[in-house]
C-alpha cells in the first residue's frame, strides 16, 4: 500500500495568532460541518516553491471575492498569511524536499460555513507535496475532450446564484467530468457552453496562441498572440492566467479575450490548460485531433514557462 502524502494542517483560531497546528492523521472536522454536508464553502490552491508562495495576494483576493459571493464572512487576510507561513515552515521542517527541484508544495486554503447552527466559519490551511502526475503533465502534455457544461454563456449574469464565478467546495461536477474523460482515454476536459463557447477546464484556465508574421512597413516581424476565453461567460478568473498575461504583455506578446469556439482551439498554434499547481500543461490533442505542431508548441511552452518562472 502506498503511504499517504505528508500533510500539515493549520486552523485559523482567534486564540492562536499564527494559526493552530493540528494532527492531519486525526479527525478534525465536525460531522455537521456544512462544508462536508453541503459543499458550502470556498477554497484556493496555491504553489509554494522553495518556501515562497506564488501569487499569494491574488489568491487571497479571489478567496475573499468567492466568500463575498456566498455571503460568507471569513478571517482577514493577515490571519490567512500568518497561518500559511506557519504551515509552509512546519511542512518544510518536518518533511524536507529530496532536492531543490522537488521543493514544491500545494498550499490549500479552505473556509466552510461551519457546523450547523454554530454561526461561524471553519477555516484552515492544508500543506502537502505536489503530486507526480502534475509534474509529468507539465512536461509531456495532455489529451483533452470537449464536454457540454449545460449552461449558455450568459447564464452567470442571469442567475448569479449558480456561483459560476466563485471557487466553491461544490466540485462534484468537475470531478465527474474528469472521471468521464479518463474513461474515454483522455487526461482532462475543456467545457463548452450550451451555445458553443469555450469556457474552462474543471480545474484550469484555457489559453491558446497564434504566431503570425506581420509587416508594418518597417519590415517583417513575428507577432505572438495569447488568447483566453471571456471572463463574463461564467468562468473562474484564473490567477495564473492573469499573472502570465501581465508577464507576456511586458515581453511583447499581444493579448486577446474570446469569445472562442471549438474551431479556434483546433486552429491554434498551441493550446494550454494553466493552473496554479500544474502550471502550463500543453494540450496535444483535442477530441483526438492534434493541436498545432509539436516543435512550435514546445518552443512557445518554453517561452511562456520562462516568463511564468519570474512570477512571485
Amino acid at each position: 500500500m502506498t503511504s499517504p502524502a505528508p500533510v500539515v494542517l493549520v486552523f485559523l483560531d482567534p486564540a492562536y495568532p499564527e494559526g493552530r497546528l493540528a494532527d492531519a492523521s486525526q479527525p478534525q472536522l465536525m460531522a455537521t460541518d456544512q462544508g462536508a454536508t453541503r459543499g458550502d464553502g470556498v477554497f484556493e490552491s496555491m504553489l509554494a516553491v522553495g518556501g515562497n508562495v506564488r501569487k499569494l495576494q491574488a489568491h487571497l483576493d479571489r478567496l475573499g471575492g468567492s466568500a463575498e459571493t456566498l455571503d460568507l464572512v471569513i478571517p482577514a487576510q493577515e490571519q490567512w498569511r500568518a497561518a500559511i507561513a506557519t504551515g509552509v515552515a512546519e511542512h518544510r521542517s518536518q518533511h524536507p524536499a529530496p532536492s531543490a527541484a522537488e521543493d514544491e508544495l500545494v498550499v490549500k486554503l479552505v473556509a466552510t460555513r461551519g457546523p450547523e447552527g454554530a454561526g461561524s466559519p471553519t477555516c484552515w490551511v492544508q500543506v502537502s507535496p505536489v503530486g507526480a502526475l502534475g509534474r509529468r503533465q507539465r512536461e509531456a502534455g495532455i489529451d483533452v475532450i470537449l464536454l457540454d457544461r449545460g449552461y449558455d454563456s450568459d447564464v452567470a449574469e442571469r442567475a448569479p446564484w449558480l456561483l459560476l464565478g466563485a471557487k466553491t467546495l461544490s466540485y462534484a461536477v468537475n470531478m465527474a467530468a474528469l472521471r468521464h474523460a479518463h474513461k474515454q482515454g483522455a487526461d482532462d476536459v475543456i467545457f463548452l457552453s450550451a451555445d458553443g463557447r469555450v469556457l474552462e477546464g474543471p480545474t484550469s484556465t484555457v489559453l491558446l496562441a497564434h504566431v503570425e508574421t506581420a509587416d508594418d512597413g518597417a519590415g517583417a516581424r513575428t507577432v505572438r498572440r495569447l488568447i483566453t476565453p471571456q471572463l463574463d461567460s461564467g468562468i473562474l478568473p484564473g490567477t495564473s492566467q492573469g499573472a502570465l498575461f501581465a508577464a507576456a504583455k511586458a515581453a511583447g506578446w499581444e493579448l486577446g479575450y474570446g469569445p472562442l469556439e471549438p474551431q479556434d482551439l483546433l486552429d491554434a498554434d498551441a493550446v494550454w490548460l494553466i493552473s496554479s499547481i500544474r502550471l502550463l500543461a500543453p494540450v496535444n490533442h483535442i477530441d483526438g485531433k492534434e493541436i498545432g505542431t509539436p516543435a512550435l508548441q514546445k518552443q512557445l511552452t518554453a517561452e511562456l514557462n520562462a516568463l511564468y518562472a519570474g512570477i512571485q
Side-chain angles (χ1 to χ4, degrees), residues 58-90:
H59 283 284
L60 288 174
D61 289 344
R62 191 169 67 177
L63 182 75
S66 295
E68 184 176 356
T69 301
L70 269 69
D71 296 319
L72 177 63
V73 178
I74 63 174
Q77 291 188 358
E78 291 73 16
Q79 292 176 261
W80 287 103
R81 286 180 177 273
I84 291 165
T86 297
V88 171
E90 185 73 11

Side-chain angles (χ1 to χ4, degrees), residues 111-127:
T112 80
R113 203 167 298 276
E116 297 275 358
S120 60
T122 305
C123 304
W124 71 91
V125 175
Q126 174 180 313
V127 184

Side-chain angles (χ1 to χ4, degrees), residues 13 22 46 57 61 75 78 81-82 86 93 109 113 128 137 155 175 178 184 190 227 247 265 268 275 284 287 302:
D13 187 326
M46 308 177 292
Q57 187 61 52
D61 289 344
E78 291 73 16
R81 286 180 177 273
T86 297
S93 173
L109 316 181
R113 203 167 298 276
S128 59
Q137 291 182 342
V155 71
M175 298 301 99
L178 288 176
Q184 311 305 312
I190 293 177
I227 306 170
L265 299 174
S275 57
N284 297 327
D287 286 345

Side-chain angles (χ1 to χ4, degrees), residues 10 21 113 146 167 170 193 215 226:
V10 184
L21 284 164
R113 203 167 298 276
L146 302 177
K167 197 171 179 69
S170 303
S193 66
D215 191 338
L226 197 57

Side-chain angles (χ1 to χ4, degrees), residues 16-27:
Y16 296 81
E18 305 304 314
R20 174 175 57 83
L21 284 164
D23 187 349
S25 68
Q26 299 299 314

